[in-house]
Amino acid sequence: MQTKSIFVGTIIGALTCCLSFCSKKNTSTATANSATEPVLPATAYNYSNVSFPAHIAASLALNDNTPAGNVITDAGATLGRVLFYDKKLSANNTISCSSCHRPEQAFDDSATLSKGFAGGLTARNSMTLLNLRFYKSGKMFWDERAPSLESQVLQPIQNSTEMGMTMAALETKLAGLNYYPPLFEKAFGSTGIDSTKIARALSQFLRSMVTYQSKYDKVKQGQANFTPDEAQGEQLFLTAGAVTCAGCHAPPMFLTSEPAAPFALRDVNDRGIANEDRFKSGSLRNIAVRSKLFHNGSIANLQAMLGGATPPIPNHTVLPQDAPKLLAFLQTLTDQTLQTDPKFSNPFK
Ligand code: HEC
Ligand code: HEC
């Protein structure tokens, strides 16, 4: 019995050694082609089975916009990650989704308007891609013109300013790159490439971007305490004003797909949803690492907004003595892991 387990142990040891040797070899081969080929782990990262803390899980149960036909799988999100960072999605191979949705900016851009593949500028400010799956209606863009994430993700690819492709041209292009057919096979069971699968994979990757490891989350789980300023900031966020901040940016993900009141930063050039001076607001989580806020990017950052932007923004003007407290509270919503976790990082380097 003992001899047998030593023998089995030796075999396992030898196998592990061989496996780690092989995977090391794979990695270094791939690194040699770093600019053009993605470097992926031997075993896919876990996207499908993340255990969220109770307060996040409860919100997900109520608000999740994942369609029954496109539940996150590890292979699907892995393909989505490669597509998201691949400049080949643009007509001249210069722009990827991540060019305008940068990990270090909470998957938003730091520019007021973003530059497309030929240098042209987008009509609106870019948006964060964090916690998209909690937007219950599933509607996407500042004016909610895309009915679902699956329909949204194909639009930048075909937009004449952003990426300048047609879906037919992209399908042919991807089929001609050696790394895509095996990734599509792992994700969807066959090497065939079509726009439905591209949309599904990108959506799976984006829906996996959930922030749940901020100070705010630790406090909600009893693992940390707010400072007095942070605690007062939370109270102000939840209770101050006729329509509270939380009325439109509902915790725990700090968004709601049904705004409590028609609202927009006044803008004569852009009247948003149904031309009614209404706009979507994405999740306020990680807002402290973002810059160029609101649909036209005209507010430099959180400090500028709370410091009394001129002209004042309706519903967003706060008393001078409250501003530092709200700022302290909003800073607790930052989850740094989204920009450090390799599963969300650029596989092309
Ligand atoms: C050239 C810059 C640019 C590129 C490239 C780009 N986006 Fe965007 N993205 C934007 C802008 C600007 C908006 C807001 C546009 C609007 O509302 O009219 C946006 C909005 C979005 C939204 C809506 C988020 C929400 O909460 O409603 C999603 C999702 C998104 N982009 C995903 C992607 C994906 C996936 C890709 C790659 C296939 C991509 N983007 C490529 C600039 C870009
Ligand atoms: C009546 C609903 C409503 C209330 C109340 C409200 N907001 Fe907003 N908020 C929005 C909408 C809608 C937007 C996007 C508007 C736009 O871009 O024109 C927004 C945008 C923001 C942004 C910029 C987000 C981005 O992605 O660029 C921040 C930050 C913000 N709100 C914080 C707050 C704070 C703090 C309060 C309380 C003092 C508050 N909001 C009150 C609806 C509201």
Side-chain angles (χ1 to χ4, degrees), residues 13-31 39-43:
L15 268 175
T16 318
C17 183
C18 169
L19 278 177
S20 63
F21 176 73
C22 297
S23 66
K24 246 187 210 138
K25 203 173 142 205
N26 276 342
T27 313
S28 56
T29 317
T31 312
V39 180
L40 296 169
T43 307

Side-chain angles (χ1 to χ4, degrees), residues 42-228:
T43 307
Y45 292 122
N46 173 24
Y47 298 95
S48 60
N49 189 21
V50 179
S51 51
F52 297 119
H55 63 291
I56 306 278
S59 174
L60 193 60
L62 288 173
N63 299 308
D64 193 359
N65 59 32
T66 304
N70 199 27
V71 171
I72 299 174
T73 63
D74 296 341
T78 298
L79 169 59
R81 174 181 169 222
V82 174
L83 291 164
F84 184 82
Y85 284 101
D86 198 342
K87 293 181 176 169
K88 304 255 172 35
L89 266 67
S90 65
N92 57 1
N93 305 326
T94 57
I95 293 268
S96 70
C97 308
S98 71
S99 307
C100 305
H101 300 285
R102 296 143 49 128
E104 68 280 12
Q105 289 276 326
F107 294 89
D108 186 12
D109 199 352
S110 55
T112 307
L113 302 174
S114 305
K115 258 198 194 126
F117 76 103
L121 294 178
T122 55
R124 293 193 177 116
N125 183 236
S126 178
M127 301 175 82
T128 179
L129 302 183
L130 299 179
N131 307 312
L132 292 177
R133 68 185 292 193
F134 293 81
Y135 201 68
K136 189 174 185 179
S137 74
K139 295 178 186 169
M140 296 290 145
F141 287 125
W142 285 111
D143 58 5
E144 297 193 328
R145 68 188 180 279
S148 68
L149 187 55
E150 277 74 6
S151 87
Q152 191 286 335
V153 294
L154 298 182
Q155 299 193 28
I157 299 171
Q158 302 169 85
N159 184 287
S160 60
T161 304
E162 296 182 6
M163 302 175 108
M165 289 292 282
T166 65
M167 288 318 297
L170 184 63
E171 288 162 6
T172 310
K173 193 173 176 182
L174 298 189
L177 292 164
N178 61 14
Y179 50 92
Y180 274 116
L183 289 172
F184 277 86
E185 182 163 33
K186 276 189 199 151
F188 300 115
S190 77
T191 54
I193 296 179
D194 62 40
S195 35
T196 307
K197 291 180 187 170
I198 294 172
R200 287 179 58 193
L202 277 167
S203 300
Q204 288 185 33
F205 178 59
L206 297 188
R207 283 201 187 90
S208 74
M209 292 182 190
V210 176
T211 61
Y212 62 98
Q213 300 177 79
S214 63
K215 175 166 186 187
Y216 175 84
D217 297 304
K218 297 205 169 74
V219 172
K220 294 299 146 184
Q221 296 170 88
Q223 297 163 359
N225 294 307
F226 282 141
T227 64

